[in-house]
Amino acid sequence: MSEVVEEAILQHLSSPEATIEDTFSWAASKDLDHNSVVGSVKSLWADGYVAITELSTSSYTLSDEANEVVANGSQEVRVLAALIEAGEEGMTMPDLQSKVGKGVCKIGMGNCMKNKWAKKAGDKLVATKAMGEVSDETQDRLKALDAANGAEGVIDDKQVNLLKRRKLISLVTLKSYSVTRGAEYAPKRVKKAADLTKEMLDSGAWKSTPFKPYNFLTVGEKVGGGYLHPLLKVRAEFRKILMQMGFQEMPTNKWVESSFWNFDSLFQPQSHPARDAHDTFFIKEPGATVSVPEDYYERVKEMHEKGGAGSIGYRYDFKREEAFKNLLRTHTTAVSSQMLYKLANQEGGFKPARYFSIDRVFRNETMDATHLCEFHQVEGLVADYNLSLGDLLGTIETFFKKVGITQLRFKPAFNPYTEPSMEIFGYHPDLKKWTELGNSGMFRPEMLAPMGLPENVRVIAWGLSLERPTMIKYRIKNIRDLFGHKVEMARTRTAPICRFDDQTA
């Protein structure tokens, strides 16, 4: 089709004086689609065959409702005619709707009342004007526009605005072109080759083949590569800092855990509120784990029921089916408990270790600007002989100094599996206030003893979310703008490199 249109255009311009005054009228005279003509004109213009001048013509088009008004009169006149026909008794609204139609009645009655052509008499409408006393100005204006093919200036601006408000007319701007011969005009278009091929070289056709001009100075398109999400940038920095501090990363790629490792091994009672369905996502299928270390299970059960290591336990019946329930882990401490168990039972016995993890956890929480059902937890622990609260404070201070936070406060808190426990607060210079950063504590003997760790081994641990420092670093106020389906992809591409100012020096 495009070749036919191109041929028609070039043939029309075969005479040096020939022009196409307006592509719209020319396309209509040749029975061609105007869009196809415009496409061919632009293609020929790109190769210099024609020169073009853009034209713009505006006109009003009548809506279907306006065409009905032209044919049958405006709604208000038709309502008035029905009321005059009803006489002095008038008509009820249902009767009027039945007579002229609901749509006509709704618009016409309002305009009749506005023009004082009708009035209410009880539940009826009565005409106050005779047909000879009114004129159908709406129909007259639309007829004038229709007769002038919608040309501008036929009616004044005030009348135009009235018709627009009633959605009877709309202004349409038609883009077309005036076309004349170009510098490279020829009666037949010869397609220029874009590439030099082997066949051209073999046959010698390259000598006579016209080629498209090459622009050796143009800049190529930007190569799209992968971009790290802001969370991953902060995660990479945290990971580097913890490794510099001598920590070893724990394997946290298993999101589904049993209640035994997630709760029971941490000396968290089976009646604890965190184990309810409104706080934890339990797995339907498979609903229960296959096995746990049986001897360790029995020691954990005894610690819950009877106590040990100086504790009296919780004094309740420990249920196996509750311990074996599968869930989406609520914290990465479920992995920490497994690593400590392996550390206590490895060949050669216990050896001091430092572990950390940064991975996703899940909680059945109400989502808002600062909370999600899934988030990332940063956790670190140190297992060694005769550790104290001072070691915990020193480790936490060293870590936060490495991420640029030097002002810290600690507040006593309660956790089922740490004693003592502390909340960590840091001063935010931008917000100019103290904000909660995380939690910390020393694992309880009731948690460590069943694992088989030596009596004088202590484990200090601390954790925080990855999202909060990332939001502070990148000045993000709503967590849903950082993580989830509402995140803008542009933010991922434009987020700057994450660097923390190490304050330990």
Side-chain angles (χ1 to χ4, degrees):
M1 179 64 182
S2 61
E3 291 180 359
V4 173
V5 175
E6 285 179 6
E7 188 177 339
I9 294 169
L10 293 173
Q11 187 178 353
H12 182 88
L13 298 174
S14 58
S15 171
E17 297 81 20
T19 60
I20 297 175
E21 298 293 341
D22 190 327
T23 52
F24 187 78
S25 57
W26 185 83
S29 68
K30 299 291 184 181
D31 197 23
L32 295 171
D33 177 62
H34 184 247
N35 289 332
S36 299
V37 170
V38 169
S40 296
V41 164
K42 287 184 176 180
S43 178
L44 290 168
W45 169 75
D47 283 346
Y49 283 84
V50 299
I52 60 175
T53 304
E54 187 174 308
L55 305 174
S56 178
T57 307
S58 297
S59 62
Y60 292 104
T61 59
L62 276 61
S63 66
D64 293 341
E65 183 184 338
N67 287 322
E68 187 182 347
V69 170
V70 170
N72 303 314
S74 65
Q75 293 93 332
E76 52 268 32
V77 169
R78 289 155 70 184
V79 167
L80 177 61
L83 293 177
I84 291 171
E85 186 181 336
E88 295 181 358
E89 292 185 5
M91 299 178 75
T92 63
M93 185 65 70
D95 290 340
L96 183 59
Q97 288 177 345
S98 177
K99 178 74 174 176
V100 299
K102 285 188 177 181
V104 172
C105 178
K106 181 179 179 182
I107 299 170
M109 185 195 73
N111 288 328
C112 276
M113 299 295 286
K114 181 180 176 182
N115 295 334
K116 297 183 179 180
W117 294 356
K119 66 178 182 180
K120 282 190 174 183
D123 63 341
K124 293 184 178 182
L125 288 168
V126 180
T128 60
K129 295 281 186 182
M131 191 59 74
E133 296 178 290
V134 301
S135 61
D136 196 345
E137 293 179 355
T138 302
Q139 185 187 45
D140 293 341
R141 291 164 187 164
L142 290 173
K143 280 184 175 181
L145 277 175
D146 192 37
N149 292 321
E152 292 184 280
V154 174
I155 58 176
D156 62 40
D157 292 342
K158 184 178 180 181
Q159 295 170 341
V160 166
N161 290 332
L162 287 171
L163 295 177
K164 278 184 177 179
R165 277 202 296 270
R166 291 182 64 169
K167 297 181 180 179
L168 295 173
I169 61 170
S170 58
L171 185 65
V172 175
T173 301
L174 178 67
K175 299 282 187 182
S176 59
Y177 295 89
S178 170
V179 186
T180 58
R181 280 188 174 197
E184 302 294 326
Y185 173 79
K188 187 173 179 62
R189 185 178 191 180
V190 179
K191 292 278 188 181
K192 293 182 179 180
D195 298 304
L196 181 65
T197 65
K198 178 180 179 297
E199 289 75 20
M200 290 180 187
L201 293 172
D202 290 341
S203 64
W206 62 273
K207 296 176 183 179
S208 58
T209 301
F211 287 91
K212 289 183 178 179
Y214 283 88
N215 184 358
F216 294 101
L217 300 177
T218 189
V219 179
E221 282 194 20
K222 187 178 178 181
V223 178
Y227 299 90
L228 284 177
H229 189 278
L231 273 175
L232 292 180
K233 292 181 180 181
V234 176
R235 180 183 183 275
E237 276 297 295
F238 278 14
R239 192 168 177 269
K240 184 175 74 173
I241 289 168
L242 288 162
M243 286 183 169
Q244 288 173 351
M245 292 174 64
F247 283 79
Q248 179 183 349
E249 191 166 13
M250 294 186 284
T252 54
N253 56 343
K254 191 172 67 171
W255 291 354
V256 176
E257 291 285 359
S258 66
S259 294
F260 177 78
W261 288 114
N262 196 82
F263 295 123
D264 297 319
S265 64
L266 305 180
F267 196 58
Q268 193 160 331
Q270 293 184 338
S271 59
H272 195 280
R275 300 178 71 149
D276 292 339
H278 64 265
D279 284 323
T280 302
F281 291 110
F282 287 95
I283 305 298
K284 285 187 178 180
E285 185 63 36
T289 189
V290 176
S291 65
V292 296
E294 198 60 38
D295 56 338
Y296 179 46
Y297 170 84
E298 291 298 332
R299 293 197 296 270
V300 170
K301 177 184 177 182
E302 185 175 353
M303 183 64 75
H304 278 250
E305 291 182 342
K306 300 176 183 178
S311 169
I312 62 172
Y314 290 117
R315 303 296 181 92
Y316 70 97
D317 291 331
F318 189 86
K319 296 179 180 178
R320 189 180 187 89
E321 60 272 19
E322 187 67 31
F324 273 55
K325 285 182 179 178
N326 280 334
L327 48 80
L328 288 174
R329 66 182 179 210
T330 61
H331 46 199
T332 51
T333 317
V335 182
S336 301
S337 62
Q338 295 174 61
M339 294 301 294
L340 288 172
Y341 173 74
K342 290 178 182 177
L343 196 63
N345 296 277
Q346 65 184 349
E347 272 189 46
F350 169 79
K351 292 178 183 177
R354 298 182 183 190
Y355 292 126
F356 83 93
S357 66
I358 307 174
D359 213 332
R360 198 172 299 188
V361 296
F362 308 86
R363 296 190 188 163
N364 193 359
E365 293 190 353
T366 302
M367 292 190 291
D368 56 31
T370 57
H371 294 85
L372 291 175
C373 290
E374 53 180 308
F375 57 94
H376 295 77
Q377 182 176 345
V378 183
E379 181 169 343
L381 66 89
V382 181
D384 205 343
Y385 295 101
N386 301 316
L387 292 174
S388 67
L389 191 63
D391 296 301
L392 175 61
L393 294 171
T395 303
I396 292 171
E397 285 181 355
T398 300
F399 172 78
F400 280 106
K401 279 182 180 179
K402 284 184 175 290
V403 299
I405 300 174
T406 56
Q407 293 178 271
L408 293 174
R409 286 179 179 174
F410 299 91
K411 175 184 173 183
F414 170 77
N415 283 316
Y417 46 89
T418 57
E419 181 61 38
S421 305
M422 300 179 299
E423 290 178 347
I424 310 165
F425 291 83
Y427 185 75
H428 193 294
D430 289 342
L431 300 177
K432 297 190 180 344
K433 67 176 184 178
W434 292 89
T435 60
E436 184 181 349
L437 299 175
N439 260 294
S440 64
M442 300 183 69
F443 284 146
R444 296 172 67 111
E446 296 97 323
M447 172 185 164
L448 302 179
M451 293 177 176
L453 290 166
E455 283 188 20
N456 57 344
V457 167
R458 303 287 181 267
V459 180
I460 57 175
W462 45 270
L464 66 149
S465 77
L466 184 65
E467 281 77 3
R468 181 162 293 180
T470 304
M471 290 172 69
I472 293 171
K473 184 71 177 174
Y474 288 101
R475 307 295 192 270
I476 298 171
K477 294 182 179 179
N478 193 321
I479 194 170
R480 287 167 290 194
D481 293 332
L482 172 68
F483 186 69
H485 66 282
K486 293 185 178 179
V487 173
E488 293 181 16
M489 295 306 293
R491 187 188 291 274
T492 301
R493 289 194 297 270
T494 58
I497 294 171
C498 175
R499 289 288 183 270
F500 290 104
D501 296 327
D502 189 342
Q503 301 294 322
T504 55

